[in-house]
């Protein structure tokens, strides 16, 4: 609690410039409002049974599938002093809770908001940007790894001036750190701070600019007598009875940029986001496949922690084609779970590296067609690349490209 209070005091100036994208359909007082969207898709993978960040892994003997990627149903209500949001996701895998939060505000102003419950982590741009409006089918691998399902349970303060300094936004949240799981597996809480700037209608109202920075300060409990810290040649094992209950640092630092230019050919949008830090994970094993060994945990890790110095980024470019309903998409993203070591050293005897340390990059390209204001078709291919290592199953680039055809209807 003392650490939380110190961080809150440190971030107090940032809170004066806060804004959150966690919101009801409208803040105007209203009774129950129901909104949502449905995404149904067909996918073809390059190989059977691949590990994929394009909607999840493929079944062992399958390289193609139909699926409901997202089936969101959002219910919200707002009055003079507060609002409530409740959202579920219904797919072939069942029904999951996505959002459940209450917001409080002054009766005549939404400048200051207090949010409590299950909500999007206020980190960067793509995490809080709705999948129902995003042109690209999925978020970048780095964000899917560090913040799976994007949500966490906690409380958040948001401040966004409506007049003077209205271009400044910021958020400060205290969360469990275990994501959507209601059972926090340790007594410590994580802190998220987000500061953003947004300028609309520049250059004769043709240019729109946004940028910001984010910080995540948290930890993950070690439940064994050993943990591994990264070195220039691999990992060093630290063993002691005192390591049971040791808290490995979970720290992220990120920056983001959004540019939109409304030109005579059509709207051009460029978005970029970079982050790096330390991610507590585990070793890849028969039960934990490589890409998942650095995923943030919703339950107490059962094996030794691996503290990985990671980095990652994405570049997104969309271009409306000749002011038509067609938009071209190009993206490139990289996630390096261990930036201290090269792929040629992964798997060398004695350095304790595993498949969880392999860097992946993804080149995506495709097109969307806006059938009408609610109905959209997307065709998109992802070319995923990894360098070869000394590990038996990762000596060359995996055949794990994925092509997606998606229909989305939003109401």
């Amino acid at each position: 609690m003392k650490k939380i209070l110190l961080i809150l005091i440190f971030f107090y100036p940032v809170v004066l410039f806060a804004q959150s994208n966690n919101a009801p359909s409208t803040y105007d007082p209203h009774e129950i409002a129901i909104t949502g969207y449905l995404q149904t898709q067909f996918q073809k993978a390059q190989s059977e049974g691949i590990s994929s960040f394009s909607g999840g892994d493929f079944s062992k003997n399958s390289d193609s599938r139909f699926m409901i990627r997202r089936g969101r149903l959002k219910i919200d209500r707002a009055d003079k002093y507060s609002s409530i949001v409740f959202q579920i996701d219904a797919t072939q895998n069942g029904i999951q809770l996505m959002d459940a939060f209450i917001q409080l505000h002054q009766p005549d102003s939404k400048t200051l908001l207090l949010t409590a419950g299950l909500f999007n982590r206020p980190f960067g741009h793509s995490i809080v940007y709705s999948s129902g409006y995003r042109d690209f089918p999925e978020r970048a691998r780095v964000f899917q790894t560090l913040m799976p399902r994007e949500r966490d349970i906690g409380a958040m303060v948001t401040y966004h001036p409506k007049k003077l300094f209205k271009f400044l936004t910021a958020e400060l949240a205290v969360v469990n750190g275990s994501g959507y799981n209601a059972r926090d597996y340790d007594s410590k809480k994580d802190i998220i701070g987000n500061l953003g700037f947004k300028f609309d209608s520049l250059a004769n109202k043709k240019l729109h600019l946004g940028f910001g920075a984010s910080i995540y300060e948290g930890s993950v409990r070690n439940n064994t007598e050993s943990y591994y810290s990264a070195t220039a040649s691999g990992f060093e094992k630290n063993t002691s009875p005192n390591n049971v209950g040791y808290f490995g640092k979970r720290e992220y630092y990120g920056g983001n940029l959004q540019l939109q230019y409304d030109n005579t050919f059509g709207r051009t949008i460029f978005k970029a986001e970079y982050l790096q830090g330390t991610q507590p994970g585990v070793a890849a094993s028969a039960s934990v496949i490589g890409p998942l060994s650095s995923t943030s945990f919703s339950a107490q890790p059962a094996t030794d922690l691996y503290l990985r110095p990671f980095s990652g980024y994405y570049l997104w470019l969309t271009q409306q084609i000749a002011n038509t309903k067609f938009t071209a998409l190009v993206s490139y993203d990289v996630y390096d779970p261990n930036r201290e070591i090269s792929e040629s050293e992964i798997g060398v005897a004695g350095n304790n590296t595993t498949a969880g340390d392999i860097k992946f990059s993804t080149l995506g390209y495709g097109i969307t067609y806006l059938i009408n204001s609610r109905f959209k078709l997307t065709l998109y291919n992802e070319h995923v690349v990894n360098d070869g290592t000394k590990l038996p199953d990762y000596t060359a680039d995996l055949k794990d490209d994925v092509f997606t055809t998606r229909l989305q209807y939003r109401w």
Side-chain angles (χ1 to χ4, degrees):
M1 180 60 69
K2 183 178 179 180
K3 181 179 179 182
I4 292 175
L5 290 175
L6 288 173
I7 295 178
L8 286 171
I9 293 172
F10 175 79
F11 270 106
Y12 182 72
V14 176
V15 177
L16 296 180
F17 312 103
Q19 181 183 2
S20 172
N21 289 327
N22 293 293
S25 56
T26 175
Y27 280 110
D28 295 333
H30 64 274
E31 292 302 321
I32 298 296
I34 301 177
T35 57
Y37 58 94
L38 177 66
Q39 296 174 346
T40 181
Q41 63 189 36
F42 174 78
Q43 293 182 305
K44 181 69 170 68
Q46 195 175 9
S47 305
E48 294 180 348
I50 65 168
S51 175
S52 175
F53 283 76
S54 299
D57 298 342
F58 282 71
S59 298
K60 180 179 179 181
N61 299 311
S62 174
D63 64 0
S64 63
R65 64 189 178 190
F66 287 99
M67 66 184 301
I68 304 299
R69 180 62 184 96
R70 297 176 178 89
R72 301 291 171 82
L73 184 66
K74 180 177 179 180
I75 302 172
D76 63 77
R77 182 185 184 278
D79 59 32
K80 190 176 181 180
Y81 303 95
S82 63
S83 59
I84 183 171
V85 173
F86 185 85
Q87 182 176 203
I88 60 172
D89 185 33
T91 70
Q92 68 280 338
N93 298 320
I95 299 176
Q96 293 182 315
L97 180 64
M98 295 303 295
D99 294 297
F101 59 84
I102 297 171
Q103 284 188 335
L104 303 176
H105 53 78
Q106 295 175 305
D108 56 348
S109 174
K110 310 302 183 296
T111 297
L112 185 66
L113 292 171
L114 173 63
T115 305
L118 175 65
F119 50 83
N120 275 300
R121 298 177 179 97
F123 189 98
H125 173 76
S126 69
I127 285 292
V128 297
Y129 194 76
S130 171
S131 299
Y133 292 91
R134 188 182 62 244
D135 286 318
F136 296 90
E138 305 297 339
R139 292 176 175 87
R141 179 186 291 251
V142 59
F143 284 105
Q144 291 192 56
T145 302
L146 301 180
M147 302 182 187
R149 281 192 61 192
E150 301 87 51
R151 276 84 174 168
D152 212 326
I153 302 174
M156 175 171 59
V157 176
T158 300
Y159 187 89
H160 174 49
K162 302 302 180 182
K163 295 181 180 179
L164 190 63
F165 303 120
K166 63 181 181 180
F167 53 86
L168 292 166
T169 63
E171 296 150 316
L172 179 66
V174 182
V175 298
N176 282 340
S178 53
Y180 57 90
N181 184 11
R183 296 183 179 181
D184 191 7
Y185 52 81
D186 60 49
S187 60
K188 294 192 176 184
K189 301 296 174 279
D190 294 355
I191 309 298
I192 310 172
N194 188 45
L195 175 65
F197 301 81
K198 186 177 181 181
F199 300 91
D200 287 321
S201 302
L202 302 174
N204 294 322
K205 300 183 179 181
K206 293 182 178 181
L207 178 65
H208 310 271
L209 169 66
F211 57 93
S214 304
I215 184 172
Y216 188 112
E217 290 286 340
S219 60
V220 173
R221 186 182 188 275
N222 187 52
N223 215 31
T224 69
E225 292 187 354
S226 299
Y227 71 90
Y228 292 80
S229 53
T231 68
S233 58
F235 286 96
E236 180 181 33
K237 187 175 183 179
N238 304 275
T239 302
S240 168
N242 296 329
N243 289 336
V244 177
Y246 165 79
F247 285 88
K249 287 186 177 181
R250 181 185 180 189
E251 296 179 327
Y252 313 151
Y253 306 94
N256 60 85
L257 171 70
Q258 303 85 46
L259 289 170
Q260 176 180 318
Y261 184 63
D262 302 324
N263 52 73
T264 55
F265 184 74
R267 180 175 299 157
T268 304
I269 300 175
F270 174 76
K271 297 182 179 182
E273 198 157 356
Y274 175 85
L275 67 161
Q276 70 174 48
T278 302
Q279 172 72 349
V282 297
S285 64
S287 58
V288 181
I289 60 175
L292 297 182
S293 59
S294 59
T295 299
S296 295
F297 303 105
S298 60
Q300 173 64 55
T303 57
D304 300 342
L305 285 186
Y306 274 63
L307 305 181
R308 294 186 173 94
F310 76 90
S311 64
Y313 65 89
Y314 69 81
L315 306 171
W316 287 351
L317 177 65
T318 65
Q319 176 62 61
Q320 184 185 15
I321 301 175
N323 290 307
T324 66
K325 295 183 178 181
F326 289 94
T327 299
L329 313 175
V330 179
S331 73
Y332 184 73
D333 71 74
V334 173
Y335 176 52
D336 186 354
N338 188 350
R339 66 178 189 272
E340 293 291 332
I341 196 166
S342 66
E343 267 54 41
S344 62
E345 297 176 283
I346 296 175
V348 171
N351 70 2
N352 297 312
T353 55
T354 69
D357 301 296
I358 300 174
K359 178 173 71 173
F360 286 84
S361 61
T362 304
L363 173 65
Y365 48 91
I367 193 167
T368 67
Y369 176 63
L370 194 63
I371 300 171
N372 57 44
S373 61
R374 299 181 181 275
F375 198 16
K376 182 171 68 174
L377 169 67
T378 301
L379 303 176
Y380 194 75
N381 189 66
E382 291 175 294
H383 178 52
V384 185
V385 176
N386 64 277
D387 291 335
T389 71
K390 299 294 192 301
L391 299 170
D393 295 331
Y394 299 88
T395 57
D397 181 35
L398 300 176
K399 304 302 181 182
D400 51 356
D401 296 359
V402 178
F403 177 77
T404 300
T405 300
R406 173 182 293 177
L407 287 173
Q408 173 181 293
Y409 189 89
R410 182 165 47 86
W411 67 90

